[in-house]
Amino acid sequence: MDQILLEVTVVKEEILNLIKNASDEIALKNVRETHLSKKSKFASLSRYFKDLNKEERAIFGEKINQAAKEIDLAFKNKHDELFFAAYQERLAKEKIDLSLPGINYQVGRLNPLRKVEDEILNIFVSMGYEVYEGPDIESDYYNFERMNIPSDHPAREMQDSFYFNPALLLRTHTSPAQARMMDAKKGEPFKVVCPGKCYRRDDDDATHSHQFMQIEGLVVGHHISLADLKGTLETFLKAIFGEKREIRLRGSYFPFTEPSVEVDISCAHCLGKGCSLCKDSGYIEILGAGMVHPNVLRMSGYDPQEYSGFAFGVGIDRVAMLKYGISDIRDLYQNDLRLFNNFYQER
Ligand code: DAH
């Protein structure tokens, strides 16, 4: 009996030893498969049962159970040990090198054009205007005819255009939105501002771009006068450029307004006295405007005897350039953040 019990201890020690020396998970798995299988030395120990009496069996069974428990625990501990070691090794290998410079994400900003557009629209919306954006691809009919610029009119020449076909072009100004709005209002009074892109076959230089932005303004109603136009533009321009600035109206010509005016604003630098910045004039031209031409009203179904209106067209690029001191219009279309970030240091 002692011999048998000793054999259990020897087999057990043998297995424990193998477990102890297993160098990795695969080796450990091999030990389990070969030394604990049904054909293993350990399993074959049970062959002694049949030669033992009841008491001896109990002792022998207890001894085997104890050995099995020990082996099982050793497997578990070894497994944990190997797993932890492998984990440590992986961690060491996968270490992140925090000394590498990170990716520098730049936060974008609104393009100054969009910012100025928003500002202008806000001013007019606060005065009760609605906002309407006409189409960029416009018909010759709306872009010119309805703006009182028939096909033989010399004013067309000033707006060299991108035509798709003789009847369709990229709009040369936002003014056609006036006619579209009047059509939609069907003889009712209204106030509207129409922002958007415009296109002309211009040379691209510091002050010209083949693509630029305008905001068109139009008020149609009863007893609308030039004084209303002046008051509105003064409110608008002072809100944009500051209370100190004065405005000045000069007679001008546009086919779709009569009378027509060019609106100037006093120079930011000398406030009207005259300096090198404004070429001694004291004023800088800012927009075109006028009283809606009776022909335009008539073509849109408004009786000029009953209705009058004023209109204006302002270049957003020009306002942005004057407001932020940008000397080259092309800078507005380059999306260079180094430049744009400077425009956010307000006047
Ligand atoms: N459409 C004109 C242009 O692009 C600007 C303009 C002038 C618009 C006078 C107006 C206006 O509404 O009354 O040159």
Side-chain angles (χ1 to χ4, degrees):
M1 173 72 182
D2 284 347
Q3 193 59 39
I4 296 172
L5 292 182
L6 186 68
E7 196 178 329
V8 175
T9 306
V10 168
V11 173
K12 180 191 81 181
E13 288 299 333
E14 206 178 301
I15 297 172
L16 288 180
N17 224 17
L18 286 167
I19 293 172
K20 200 173 122 200
N21 293 328
S23 56
D24 55 26
E25 292 271 13
I26 295 168
L28 190 65
K29 204 167 157 233
N30 271 338
V31 175
R32 185 186 281 277
E33 275 166 12
T34 44
H35 296 275
L36 287 185
S37 71
K38 277 186 183 153
K39 286 183 189 145
S40 68
K41 228 193 256 181
F42 188 74
S44 73
L45 289 172
S46 58
R47 70 183 181 280
Y48 294 119
F49 271 114
K50 61 180 186 326
D51 306 325
L52 302 173
N53 64 32
K54 202 177 164 198
E55 261 166 50
E56 287 171 332
R57 267 189 216 165
I59 296 165
F60 178 64
E62 173 68 21
K63 179 88 179 171
I64 292 224
N65 277 346
Q66 196 56 44
K69 267 191 203 155
E70 258 182 75
I71 291 168
D72 211 48
L73 187 69
F75 265 119
K76 203 172 159 303
N77 287 343
K78 186 69 183 181
H79 166 79
D80 289 353
E81 180 194 318
L82 288 172
F83 180 83
F84 186 68
Y87 180 64
Q88 289 295 336
E89 198 182 312
R90 223 175 62 224
L91 278 190
K93 263 200 220 139
E94 289 177 1
K95 207 156 76 182
I96 301 166
D97 183 356
L98 292 175
S99 66
L100 275 176
I103 298 162
N104 192 10
Y105 289 103
Q106 293 222 42
V107 179
R109 298 246 204 191
L110 286 181
N111 184 295
L113 287 171
R114 181 68 68 206
K115 192 167 179 287
V116 168
E117 179 187 333
D118 282 353
E119 258 179 71
I120 298 176
L121 292 181
N122 278 341
I123 294 164
F124 282 101
V125 166
S126 78
M127 293 196 275
Y129 284 64
E130 36 182 320
V131 178
Y132 164 68
E133 287 182 65
D136 284 27
I137 297 175
E138 190 51 281
S139 63
D140 180 276
Y141 172 67
Y142 275 106
N143 195 78
F144 292 127
E145 301 278 336
R146 288 287 297 272
M147 288 294 105
N148 205 27
I149 313 173
S151 59
D152 57 354
H153 199 288
R156 286 202 177 203
E157 224 164 51
M158 288 173 359
Q159 302 197 354
D160 258 349
S161 319
F162 293 109
Y163 274 92
F164 295 98
N165 61 47
L168 209 62
L169 71 159
L170 289 174
R171 67 174 170 197
T172 59
H173 50 177
T174 43
S175 300
Q178 288 189 27
R180 289 188 174 274
M181 199 63 192
M182 283 189 267
D183 284 357
K185 289 293 175 180
K186 297 193 187 346
E188 291 297 312
F190 66 91
K191 301 192 276 191
V192 71
V193 274
C194 315
K197 294 194 198 90
C198 307
Y199 311 82
R200 285 184 206 174
R201 206 171 54 77
D202 258 330
D203 288 335
D204 284 339
D205 61 27
T207 51
H208 295 89
S209 166
H210 62 275
Q211 179 198 301
F212 53 98
M213 296 190 72
Q214 288 187 336
I215 293 186
E216 194 78 14
L218 176 64
V219 174
V220 178
H222 302 286
H223 315 296
I224 304 292
S225 73
L226 197 65
D228 296 318
L229 171 62
K230 189 177 179 200
T232 302
L233 292 179
E234 193 164 3
T235 307
F236 153 51
L237 291 170
K238 282 184 182 234
I240 288 284
F241 291 105
E243 281 298 318
K244 287 198 195 121
R245 313 291 283 275
E246 295 298 334
I247 71 162
R248 180 174 86 174
L249 270 52
R250 275 182 296 116
S252 184
Y253 171 77
F254 297 104
F256 34 88
T257 44
E258 183 58 37
S260 302
V261 291
E262 211 88 51
V263 181
D264 300 338
I265 178 168
S266 58
C267 169
H269 188 59
C270 64
L271 293 175
K273 287 194 199 74
C275 69
S276 59
L277 199 75
C278 55
K279 298 191 187 84
D280 276 336
S281 70
Y283 281 83
I284 292 164
E285 187 191 317
I286 185 88
L287 59 87
M291 301 306 293
V292 182
H293 197 291
N295 286 352
V296 173
L297 285 173
R298 219 174 280 120
M299 279 188 275
S300 310
Y302 286 81
D303 179 0
Q305 298 298 330
E306 204 188 320
Y307 281 98
S308 57
F310 68 72
F312 59 90
V314 56
I316 300 177
D317 305 66
R318 183 151 178 78
V319 174
M321 288 169 79
L322 287 172
K323 194 172 159 81
Y324 295 111
I326 301 164
S327 52
D328 194 324
I329 191 170
R330 289 166 294 194
D331 288 341
L332 290 169
Y333 295 94
Q334 301 292 326
N335 282 340
D336 187 338
L337 278 185
R338 289 170 304 178
L339 201 69
F340 285 177
N341 284 339
N342 292 324
F343 302 154
Y344 287 82
Q345 286 146 20
E346 289 285 313
R347 62 164 186 254

